[in-house]
């Protein structure tokens, strides 16, 4: 897949974010939880449900027998998965859209490769270290802290639309293969706490972020989504972010186009999204951004043309000459004093 196709796929994925992630909606949810904890009829996972939901016959790890390794109990209102203690050969498990509050029985599944536990009622994603787990998703739960997710082969972790206030508990010595982290729709106010030097894709849209901190530690980051936050300044980027190619800043509080000058330290930056920021109201925004970032290939969804580049070059040269003339004028005035 080309870089351009990658960027288009990233934008399409970002468009799928639920709309109802504002502070007012979250406040209503919290108030309802405080008034009365949701209760559901007890529906334990049974042998019968497992037999209807299990598939993919494969050789076991020792190669001496065969076992079913895929389980999909999607949308069955299950509240208890204790029975899974005995299904030790499972590798692919989907628990999405149930009423689970506890996934600790999964600790017995040491061959697990992928886990989806989206849309449950989990307060924690904590599991014992899973030696082979590569993809884990805990979106739309009630998780307040990132802990118990330091699995050594984990490559993609998604914990979007939870109640996480800060990034902590991610061990870089354990998560050195993690390349994609999704924390959309939480309650983060800062990017501090991300010490993952091999991370490539970071999705932090629909939070409350106003401060960009610790980004210098993300040396291999190529894609950064910060859509729908409260960012008014682009302080925080550094020349350590030498692989960063795409930044989505749609729907933030950037009032001045001059802030984009702070992205000049990013040598591979190809595309940024600034729509739905106050600076977009400036009719010169498109060209001014290119004046500040000459290597940029695209602003929002529109590619820069040769005419755009020529206009930006002329404007930059004009300002350079004006500044030079001002310096000469200031020098002559100093001689007269």
């Amino acid at each position: 897949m080309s870089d351009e196709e990658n960027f288009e796929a990233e934008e399409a994925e970002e468009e799928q974010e639920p709309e109802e992630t504002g502070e007012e909606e979250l406040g209503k949810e919290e108030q309802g939880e405080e008034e009365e904890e949701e209760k559901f009829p007890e529906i334990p996972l049974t042998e019968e449900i497992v037999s209807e939901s299990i598939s993919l016959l494969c050789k076991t790890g020792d190669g001496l027998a065969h076992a079913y390794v895929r389980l999909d109990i999607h949308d069955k209102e299950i509240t208890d998965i204790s029975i899974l203690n005995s299904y030790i050969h499972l590798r692919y498990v989907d628990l999405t859209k149930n009423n689970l509050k506890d996934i600790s029985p999964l600790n017995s599944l040491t061959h697990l490769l992928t886990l989806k536990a989206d849309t449950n009622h989990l307060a924690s994603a904590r599991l014992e270290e899973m030696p082979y787990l590569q993809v884990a998703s805990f979106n739309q739960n009630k998780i307040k802290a990132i802990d118990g997710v330091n699995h050594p082969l984990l490559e993609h972790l998604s914990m979007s639309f939870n109640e996480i206030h800060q990034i902590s508990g991610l061990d870089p010595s354990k998560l050195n293969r993690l390349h994609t982290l999704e924390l959309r729709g939480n309650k983060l106010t800062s990017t501090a706490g991300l010490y993952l030097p091999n991370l490539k894709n970071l999705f932090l849209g629909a939070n409350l972020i106003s401060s960009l901190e610790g980004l210098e530690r993300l040396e291999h980051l190529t894609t950064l989504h910060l859509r729908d936050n409260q960012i008014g300044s682009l302080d925080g980027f550094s020349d350590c972010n030498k692989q960063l190619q795409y930044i989505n800043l749609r729907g933030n509080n950037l009032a001045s186009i001059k802030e984009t000058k702070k992205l000049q330290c990013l040598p591979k930056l190809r595309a940024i999204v600034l729509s739905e920021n106050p600076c977009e109201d400036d009719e010169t925004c498109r060209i001014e951004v290119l004046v500040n970032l000459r290597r940029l290939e695209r602003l929002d969804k529109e590619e820069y043309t040769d005419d755009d580049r020529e206009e930006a070059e002329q404007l930059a040269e004009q300002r350079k000459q004006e500044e030079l003339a001002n310096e000469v004028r200031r020098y002559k005035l100093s001689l007269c004093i």
Side-chain angles (χ1 to χ4, degrees):
M1 185 180 287
S2 68
D3 287 342
E4 185 64 30
E5 288 172 328
N6 273 327
F7 289 142
E8 289 174 358
E10 288 154 7
E11 285 186 342
E13 184 176 7
E14 189 76 357
E15 291 292 341
Q16 294 174 3
E17 293 181 3
E19 295 295 328
E20 54 275 52
T21 56
E23 290 180 79
E24 182 178 350
E25 193 69 27
L26 288 170
K28 290 178 181 177
E29 291 175 4
E30 288 177 347
Q31 184 178 358
E33 290 168 15
E34 290 172 0
E35 289 176 356
E36 183 179 358
E37 186 179 355
E38 290 181 272
K39 294 183 179 180
F40 308 94
E42 291 294 326
I43 304 178
L45 184 60
T46 62
E47 294 279 1
E48 182 181 0
I49 297 174
V50 170
S51 66
E52 295 171 351
S53 309
I54 202 165
S55 62
L56 191 59
L57 189 64
C58 293
K59 282 187 176 182
T60 55
D62 57 15
L64 301 177
H66 287 78
Y68 289 103
V69 299
R70 185 187 301 278
L71 178 68
D72 182 354
I73 54 169
H74 187 104
D75 200 9
K76 296 186 184 296
E77 300 183 347
I78 300 297
T79 58
D80 186 344
I81 56 171
S82 297
I83 193 175
L84 293 184
N85 276 315
S86 59
Y87 288 83
I88 61 173
H89 298 294
L90 286 174
R91 301 175 192 172
Y92 312 97
V93 174
D94 187 347
L95 307 172
T96 302
K97 289 188 178 179
N98 284 286
N99 294 325
L100 296 173
K101 295 183 179 181
D102 177 27
I103 55 171
S104 61
L106 299 179
N107 287 322
S108 300
L109 280 53
T110 56
H111 296 283
L112 201 60
L113 297 176
T114 68
L115 171 62
K116 289 187 67 177
D118 300 340
T119 319
N120 279 281
H121 299 272
L122 300 175
S124 173
R126 176 176 290 280
L127 288 170
E128 293 175 9
E129 193 172 292
M130 293 284 177
Y132 304 112
L133 187 62
Q134 298 173 23
V135 178
S137 182
F138 304 96
N139 299 327
Q140 292 181 299
N141 279 282
K142 298 179 180 180
I143 298 169
K144 295 185 178 180
I146 307 171
D147 59 357
V149 295
N150 292 308
H151 310 293
L153 295 188
L154 193 62
E155 297 180 355
H156 189 143
L157 174 63
S158 185
M159 301 180 75
S160 296
F161 305 105
N162 279 284
E163 301 171 12
I164 300 168
H165 288 263
Q166 64 178 3
I167 301 170
S168 62
L170 297 172
D171 185 345
S173 67
K174 296 284 183 65
L175 295 171
N176 54 22
R177 297 188 60 167
L178 188 67
H179 60 67
T180 301
L181 176 62
E182 302 191 44
L183 294 171
R184 296 184 179 98
N186 280 285
K187 300 178 182 180
L188 300 173
T189 59
S190 169
T191 57
L194 283 166
Y195 309 137
L196 300 167
N198 293 321
L199 195 69
K200 293 184 178 180
N201 308 299
L202 179 59
F203 297 85
L204 297 174
N207 276 279
L208 305 171
I209 296 170
S210 59
S211 175
L212 301 176
E213 302 175 74
L215 296 181
E216 69 279 358
R217 296 175 180 265
L218 305 179
E219 296 179 3
H220 290 89
L221 195 67
T222 62
T223 302
L224 177 60
H225 282 256
L226 292 164
R227 173 183 171 178
D228 295 332
N229 278 285
Q230 299 176 6
I231 298 167
S233 166
L234 295 181
D235 292 322
F237 292 95
S238 80
D239 53 11
C240 294
N241 305 124
K242 52 185 176 295
Q243 302 299 326
L244 192 53
Q245 300 178 35
Y246 175 91
I247 306 175
N248 190 332
L249 290 160
R250 176 178 173 179
N252 276 279
N253 298 333
L254 292 168
S256 173
I257 300 169
K258 292 180 180 179
E259 287 295 319
T260 59
K261 289 184 178 181
K262 297 172 183 177
L263 304 180
Q264 291 174 348
C265 60
L266 308 175
K268 292 190 177 181
L269 187 63
R270 290 183 50 214
I272 59 174
V273 180
L274 293 176
S275 57
E276 298 178 24
N277 277 275
C279 65
E280 185 187 29
D281 296 338
D282 188 332
E283 61 183 16
T284 66
C285 176
R286 181 170 173 78
I287 294 302
E288 290 292 349
V289 170
L290 188 58
V291 169
N292 294 338
L293 303 170
R294 302 295 182 80
R295 291 185 289 266
L296 205 63
E297 296 180 11
R298 194 178 78 209
L299 176 64
D300 300 332
K301 295 185 178 181
E302 192 172 344
E303 298 252 351
Y304 279 110
T305 65
D306 290 340
D307 289 343
D308 291 332
R309 296 192 181 284
E310 183 176 352
E311 182 179 350
E313 289 289 343
Q314 291 176 353
L315 187 56
E317 181 60 28
Q318 176 185 332
R319 289 177 180 171
K320 181 179 178 181
Q321 295 301 323
E322 289 174 354
E323 180 59 28
L324 183 61
N326 287 335
E327 287 182 8
V328 171
R329 191 177 300 110
R330 286 193 294 269
Y331 176 71
K332 289 181 177 179
L333 285 173
S334 68
L335 294 177
C336 297
I337 295 175

